Amino acid sequence: MGNSKSGVLSKEILAELQLSTAFTEEELCAWYQAFLKDCPSGRISLQQFASIYAKFFPDADPKAYAQHVFRSFDANSDGTLDFKEYVVALHMTTAGEAQRKLEWAFSLYDVDGNGAISKNEVLEIVLAIFKMINPEDMKHLPDDENTPEKRAEKIWEFFGKKDDDKLTEQEFIEGALANKEILRMIQFEPQKVKERIKEKKT
């Protein structure tokens, strides 16, 4: 997507990323330098992405979730992300605005990319989320969502769906915007990610 490999982030991409994310010019430039150091080709593979993602969750197993996040941002399905796709992925999973975040969350849950979500797909993502919750936090989960199966069931019931129903993007977004409980259950605790990102920068 036109990333320069000279070590300097192009003004166009910088301006675009400042508009579409919450990151400052300073943060973006620093991240670009680190990105090029880890990925001299200017592109990041799934394996590299998963290993960077894992640094934010030293006491958990984010591999499965990272794979789903990577898939949802690999816009051209070429198995790599360029710097722009990578930063948008970081932004959307930590600080994106509600509507856009939910559009992204829909693509995350739509595992097979067919434009609708099934109950099994919800369970697949929830299983990945549970691998990232540390044992201490797990103790504080309500009884009716303290396993992936229970949480997936609860989400599905909130949407008023039967087991073999499908969920459209519009239903998903409207349901989540109308119900903070759904919003909380479909995502990993983004606050913790934000805190870890801040820690990494200092």
Side-chain angles (χ1 to χ4, degrees):
M1 286 194 185
N3 278 342
S4 143
K5 290 183 203 165
S6 65
V8 180
L9 194 52
S10 81
K11 285 194 167 59
E12 293 80 10
I13 289 179
L14 189 57
E16 206 179 316
L17 286 172
Q18 280 182 277
L19 275 177
S20 61
T21 73
F23 304 128
T24 64
E25 181 174 343
E26 195 183 9
E27 287 171 328
L28 289 165
C29 289
W31 274 352
Y32 188 57
Q33 295 302 326
F35 181 82
L36 280 188
K37 205 167 97 182
D38 289 336
C39 316
S41 69
R43 303 195 74 83
I44 184 168
S45 69
L46 170 58
Q47 203 174 356
Q48 289 168 310
F49 181 80
S51 111
I52 290 168
Y53 214 80
K55 289 175 187 167
F56 292 118
F57 306 99
D59 48 4
D61 176 12
K63 203 160 125 193
Y65 191 72
Q67 285 177 345
H68 287 297
V69 170
F70 186 91
R71 166 189 52 77
S72 69
F73 285 105
D74 182 9
N76 57 1
S77 305
D78 68 351
T80 64
L81 301 183
D82 65 17
F83 181 70
K84 200 163 111 183
E85 288 169 324
Y86 169 69
V87 168
V88 170
L90 270 181
H91 170 70
M92 291 299 281
T93 54
T94 58
E97 60 192 62
Q99 176 78 23
R100 282 196 64 202
K101 204 167 189 175
L102 286 169
E103 286 167 10
W104 165 69
F106 180 83
S107 70
L108 181 75
Y109 276 85
D110 182 13
V111 176
D112 63 8
N114 71 349
I117 296 173
S118 69
K119 189 177 179 183
N120 279 342
E121 287 174 318
V122 170
L123 179 59
E124 189 170 335
I125 301 299
V126 172
L127 278 163
I129 288 173
F130 263 68
K131 287 182 180 167
M132 292 162 60
I133 302 175
N134 70 39
E136 197 45 49
D137 291 340
M138 198 77 84
K139 290 179 197 163
H140 304 296
L141 290 175
D143 286 344
D144 62 349
E145 56 174 276
N146 60 6
T147 70
E149 291 75 16
K150 284 184 191 173
R151 183 179 282 199
E153 187 68 45
K154 193 172 171 182
I155 291 168
W156 209 239
E157 280 173 9
F158 263 125
F159 282 112
K161 294 291 181 183
K162 296 190 180 75
D163 280 2
D164 53 358
D165 283 347
K166 293 274 192 274
L167 194 57
T168 66
E169 183 173 20
Q170 192 177 353
E171 288 173 326
F172 180 83
I173 291 171
E174 284 173 2
L177 286 174
N179 192 315
K180 285 202 161 59
E181 273 291 278
I182 292 180
L183 202 50
R184 177 185 63 75
M185 288 191 296
I186 61 170
Q187 58 190 1
F188 180 64
E189 306 294 301
Q191 194 49 44
K192 299 204 167 130
V193 184
K194 279 191 226 170
E195 284 161 17
R196 298 251 164 89
I197 286 175
K198 282 205 179 92
E199 282 165 23
K200 295 275 172 210
K201 287 185 201 157
T202 52

